[in-house]
Amino acid sequence: GENVEQHPSTLSVQEGDSAVIKCTYSDSASNYFPWYKQELGKRPQLIIDIRSNVGEKKDQRIAVTLNKTAKHFSLHITETQPEDSAVYFCAASSNSGNTGKLIFGQGTTLQVKP
Amino acid sequence: DGGITQSPKYLFRKEGQNVTLSCEQNLNHDAMYWYRQDPGQGLRLIYYSQIVNDFQKGDIAEGYSVSREKKESFPLTVTSAQKNPTAFYLCASSIPHWNTEAFFGQGTRLTVV
């Protein structure tokens, strides 16, 4: 079945350093790849997304890259700040059947040390 | 104020009891979803519904049931058949045809006592 693998499960960086989280997906029909940030006890919120017709997308300190051939996509956070500390989830969705359902990775707990 | 609302925030259940988690949205979204969140396992799909009066099982539907009688509402019942129901439950909604953002409720933390 559809599967999304996410690595690493935990990541600790110094403030100002960069952080990279990687995901791979199994369904070649996947065409939408969002990233969500979840702070402790709160709901996941979308921080950036990318569609399969684009290889890279950037929004200030956050960027996402997509390699369709390798079925691999990554989140890059530059100049990390303590408020970036949270759990990050990648997800993949296919347009087939118009379900819109998202298959999530296992999550990465990012800790940014001041 | 538009959004998706889950209630209650905390729920305690005795073993053998059924409980129902509420999810309401006023975003006019066709699709709604229920996810279960456990530490280290990400979000796993329980059930989803693309349209009123229709729903499909997700990856971990056993021990759960849903209904979709209204576009705005998608309640989840955790039955006594669910062997390990203690978890954080998240409801979401989206416009499925365009593969757009899913909006999440604030979640319900269910604890079996």
Side-chain angles (χ1 to χ4, degrees):
Chain A
E2 302 155 334
N3 188 47
V4 176
E5 294 287 333
Q6 181 173 348
H7 299 281
S9 57
T10 60
L11 180 58
S12 182
V13 300
Q14 287 295 134
E15 182 177 0
D17 287 350
S18 295
V20 180
I21 303 170
K22 299 182 179 181
C23 290
T24 58
Y25 59 97
S26 61
D27 185 359
S28 56
S30 296
N31 57 2
Y32 175 62
F33 307 92
W35 285 88
Y36 284 82
K37 176 183 180 182
Q38 185 181 29
E39 297 177 354
L40 190 63
K42 296 190 177 180
R43 72 186 81 192
Q45 293 195 302
L46 182 76
I47 56 171
I48 195 167
D49 56 13
I50 191 167
R51 287 177 171 76
S52 57
N53 59 344
V54 175
E56 183 173 0
K57 183 176 179 180
K58 190 173 182 180
D59 182 4
Q60 298 183 10
R61 297 186 296 108
I62 295 173
V64 57
T65 59
L66 172 65
N67 183 328
K68 285 174 54 180
T69 302
K71 290 191 275 188
H72 171 272
F73 59 113
S74 300
L75 177 71
H76 305 252
I77 306 174
T78 59
E79 300 172 20
T80 54
Q81 301 167 3
E83 52 264 38
D84 293 330
S85 296
V87 180
Y88 292 81
F89 292 99
C90 64
S93 175
S94 165
N95 215 13
S96 72
N98 284 330
T99 67
K101 65 176 182 176
L102 294 171
I103 305 300
F104 284 86
Q106 295 86 346
T108 296
T109 300
L110 173 64
Q111 181 187 25
V112 180
K113 299 177 183 176
Chain B
D1 185 24
I4 180 165
T5 302
Q6 289 183 242
S7 62
K9 189 172 182 180
Y10 299 98
L11 186 57
F12 296 89
R13 188 194 93 172
K14 292 182 179 180
E15 286 194 22
Q17 285 183 337
N18 293 355
V19 289
T20 298
L21 283 59
S22 171
C23 180
E24 303 277 334
Q25 55 100 358
N26 60 4
L27 300 168
N28 200 33
H29 287 168
D30 287 317
M32 297 187 74
Y33 315 86
W34 274 105
Y35 289 90
R36 170 177 171 144
Q37 185 173 18
D38 296 284
Q41 295 195 52
L43 280 67
R44 293 182 291 167
L45 184 64
I46 305 172
Y47 267 98
Y48 62 100
S49 169
Q50 297 170 253
I51 199 168
V52 175
N53 292 324
D54 187 45
F55 49 82
Q56 286 79 39
K57 293 181 179 180
D59 299 320
I60 55 166
E62 185 175 353
Y64 300 97
S65 66
V66 294
S67 63
R68 187 84 187 278
E69 298 178 0
K70 299 186 299 181
K71 187 175 185 178
E72 302 80 16
S73 179
F74 191 41
L76 173 74
T77 296
V78 184
T79 75
S80 56
Q82 171 49 238
K83 298 305 179 188
N84 185 22
T86 295
F88 190 53
Y89 291 87
L90 285 159
C91 180
S93 69
S94 74
I95 304 172
H97 313 293
W98 300 100
N99 260 353
T100 55
E101 175 183 1
F103 292 84
F104 284 86
Q106 70 270 42
T108 293
R109 186 165 298 280
L110 173 63
T111 304
V112 174
V113 295

